[in-house]
Amino acid sequence: MASVLEELRWRGLLANSTDEAALAAHLNAGPVTFYVGFDPTAPSIHFGNLVQLIVARHLQRAGHRPLILVGGSTGLIGDPKESSERILNPKEVVADWVERIRAQVERFVEFDGPAAALVVNNLDWTGELATLDFLRDVGKHFPVNRMLGRDVVRSRLEDGISYTEFSYVLLQALDYRELFRSFGCTLQFGGSDQWGNITAGVELIRRSEGARVHALATPLLTKADGSKFGKTEGGTVWLDPTMTSPYAFYQFFLQAEDAKVVEYLKVFSPRDRDAIDELARETELRPHLRLAQRALADDVTVLVHSQAERDAAVAAGEALFGNSDLRALSESTLRGIVSELPHHLMPAGDPGATDEWQLPTALDVLSLSGVAASRSEARRAIEQGGAYLNNQRVSDPEARLAPDDLLHGRYVIARRGKRTVGAVTIDARPTASATG
RNA sequence: GGCAGGUUGCCCGAGUGGCCAAAGGGAGCAGACUGUAAAUCUGCCGGCUCAGCCUACGUUGGUUCGAACCCAACACCUGCCA
């Protein structure tokens, strides 16, 4: 049976590690307590964090014990990014995000059994830490000349970096030492962009505790052209269903490139080697069937959301793509689809009160539904022949809907291009018989 | 605190009085070709009641018939000096 390290390697989840032979021996010798951290920089974790949670699952299944750290304190400081200084978020906001993220990560690890996971918050040990103690006990171990050599810092020397962000690495290193002391944690991993922060912890423990601990880094997932994988039209792919709907989430994975889909499957899918090899063959022989993409989207959506959400996302996709007749759908099916899409509820006017009440125009529907960011963009889409209402191409921006255009008397599905879909719901149909 | 340089559309970046909604590149969007893939080609890419109008070049005020471009003050960033 393959070791967990070999498994991770095969899945392409190992980008970097401290002495790998030593780590392999350590993992072999018995249950290891490991940690991975997530900083609250938004109300939800995102697609990129998912990779770390998956690694945590693999390790836990191999009998090791996860500590999932939510960065209540590091989130107040901000890990320096190459581009520019971050804006500090208010403490209450960060505290709120900590709670949300804590709830999210709990889905991915087991809290029972011998390798039960634990969620920790670094604010618990840094919140009350005195500055002088910090400088004496932690700062003393960090040569500034070495810190200046770090890539992120170097990239910021020109444009500037605050002392706050410059100090971030000390806090993360301190976290590792704290978890080492309190829980005997001897392995930390994270994304490859975290490597510097992670090894700083390894070094701090070596210097102040005289102990040798380990580290791993997962690779940054890229697209075929080398750019970062993880952004979509709407921006970041979030795990929170109110920020990225399960439908959009499913679509994101379904649209994976052929050249990369097998790589993503290895990372995200629980399927074993044989199953993935089979999907790789399918992608080569019958790429148009997109079996690998479907498997990928299925697996990740079920993992992050649920089987039911996955089923709904598939049903919605089938109805919306191609030129299927949306009129054939039952009202309940349609309602389900609409709820997955960006949509806008439009109150129907009371024809008795406003004799001018009219149904919206094509332009209205495209912009209200959110399919087009502005009316200008909607106009452009129509001019370019890329706008559809209920799967019918639109040519006149001012064309007004007729009552008959409303699916089940209320819904209009708007689409721009192939993939951008939204809906408008007319709240209640005006009683046309009011005046006869 | 002093001196010097900087702040342009999503990002980078040109523009130093009218021809500027602002070159060029990147990102992005649409169309064609396809397979909800990639590559390629074409078009688009501030907003709107869209042959016109409105808002925009850090902020505020000024000069001018006219300002992204000139002047003043302020804010922020960078460097050098204290």
Side-chain angles (χ1 to χ4, degrees):
Chain A
M1 184 177 148
S3 75
V4 67
L5 225 44
E6 284 163 14
E7 173 81 9
L8 292 176
R9 173 169 301 290
W10 173 72
R11 289 186 180 273
L13 284 164
L14 291 188
N16 221 339
S17 101
T18 47
D19 185 342
E20 200 177 318
L23 175 57
H26 185 50
L27 286 167
N28 244 345
V32 166
T33 297
F34 64 92
Y35 109 85
V36 57
F38 301 95
D39 268 3
T41 54
S44 169
I45 53 173
H46 55 78
F47 157 83
N49 303 320
L50 191 52
V51 178
Q52 313 314 325
L53 289 166
I54 282 171
V55 171
R57 279 167 79 87
H58 282 297
L59 286 168
Q60 186 176 35
R61 285 185 179 178
H64 306 292
R65 182 185 186 208
L67 297 174
I68 308 293
L69 181 147
V70 181
S73 67
T74 37
L76 292 171
I77 300 306
D79 192 12
K81 39 177 192 177
E82 300 221 339
S83 50
S84 58
E85 185 83 12
R86 290 172 193 270
I87 293 171
L88 290 178
N89 291 308
K91 288 187 172 181
E92 316 80 66
V93 170
V94 173
D96 176 48
W97 291 351
V98 163
E99 288 314 308
R100 287 167 185 265
I101 288 169
R102 176 196 290 272
Q104 280 184 321
V105 298
E106 287 178 351
R107 179 179 180 88
F108 298 90
V109 285
E110 298 294 330
F111 290 87
D112 299 317
L118 192 66
V119 177
V120 296
N121 181 349
N122 55 16
L123 190 60
D124 292 346
W125 56 85
T126 45
E128 302 298 317
L129 183 58
T131 310
L132 290 177
D133 291 336
F134 174 71
L135 291 174
R136 289 174 62 93
D137 299 343
V138 184
K140 198 68 176 170
H141 298 291
F142 285 80
V144 167
N145 50 327
R146 290 274 301 281
M147 289 172 74
L148 289 171
R150 299 177 63 216
D151 284 347
V152 222
V153 175
R154 261 192 309 197
S155 72
R156 287 282 296 280
L157 286 180
E158 183 78 8
D159 293 328
I161 178 170
S162 67
Y163 187 75
T164 307
E165 287 193 0
F166 183 61
S167 316
Y168 181 92
V169 62
L170 274 72
L171 286 179
Q172 188 164 331
L174 172 62
D175 287 343
Y176 197 174
R177 187 177 75 180
E178 177 63 29
L179 295 176
F180 170 77
R181 284 178 177 169
S182 306
F183 299 100
C185 175
T186 49
L187 170 64
Q188 182 189 181
F189 67 86
S192 55
D193 58 329
Q194 289 296 305
W195 187 243
N197 290 331
I198 294 171
T199 52
V202 171
E203 195 162 321
L204 175 63
I205 291 170
R206 186 176 59 73
R207 286 178 183 232
S208 75
E209 314 295 295
R212 185 181 189 188
V213 294
H214 306 271
L216 289 178
T218 59
L220 181 69
L221 294 181
T222 58
K223 297 202 286 186
D225 64 3
S227 64
K228 190 175 168 186
F229 178 59
K231 293 288 181 191
T232 176
E233 274 183 64
T236 307
V237 178
W238 302 102
L239 299 204
D240 183 327
T242 64
M243 294 170 73
T244 296
S245 75
Y247 169 78
F249 187 87
Y250 184 90
Q251 287 289 322
F252 171 73
F253 289 98
L254 183 63
Q255 288 160 5
E257 301 163 312
D258 288 358
K260 283 285 184 172
V261 68
V262 173
E263 187 181 310
Y264 302 152
L265 265 174
K266 286 178 182 173
V267 169
F268 293 107
S269 172
R271 290 174 206 242
D272 65 20
R273 195 163 187 156
D274 288 345
I276 291 177
D277 285 347
E278 174 58 26
L279 287 166
R281 265 195 300 283
E282 280 294 336
T283 297
E284 232 166 273
L285 297 175
R286 289 175 281 277
H288 56 282
L289 294 182
R290 312 174 66 79
L291 291 182
Q293 278 90 343
R294 287 178 208 286
L296 173 66
D298 283 353
D299 292 349
V300 190
T301 308
V302 170
L303 173 67
V304 173
H305 298 293
S306 67
Q307 182 67 43
E309 296 283 17
R310 173 267 169 202
D311 294 346
V314 170
E318 280 171 1
L320 297 170
F321 279 92
N323 290 314
S324 61
D325 185 7
L326 296 171
R327 287 170 191 282
L329 300 174
S330 73
E331 167 144 32
S332 65
T333 304
L334 194 60
R335 198 187 314 127
I337 291 170
V338 168
S339 72
E340 285 289 303
L341 303 175
H343 60 280
H344 178 260
L345 189 65
M346 188 180 166
D350 175 357
T354 60
D355 48 325
E356 298 208 351
W357 189 85
Q358 306 184 82
L359 285 167
T361 63
L363 214 48
D364 294 333
V365 175
L366 257 352
S367 58
L368 289 174
S369 64
V371 156
S374 67
R375 309 192 108 234
S376 294
E377 187 175 284
R379 198 178 289 275
R380 249 175 258 134
I382 294 170
E383 276 167 14
Q384 293 176 136
Y388 303 81
L389 293 186
N390 295 337
N391 279 351
Q392 302 289 314
R393 184 175 274 188
V394 181
S395 55
D396 177 7
E398 309 296 342
R400 205 165 277 286
L401 292 183
D404 193 44
D405 293 328
L406 300 179
L407 304 172
H408 290 283
R410 333 179 43 187
Y411 306 105
V412 192
I413 305 289
R415 193 172 101 222
R416 179 168 56 86
K418 237 170 209 174
R419 317 168 180 177
T420 312
V421 195
V424 168
T425 305
I426 309 291
D427 188 26
R429 195 171 184 175
T431 46
S433 58
T435 48

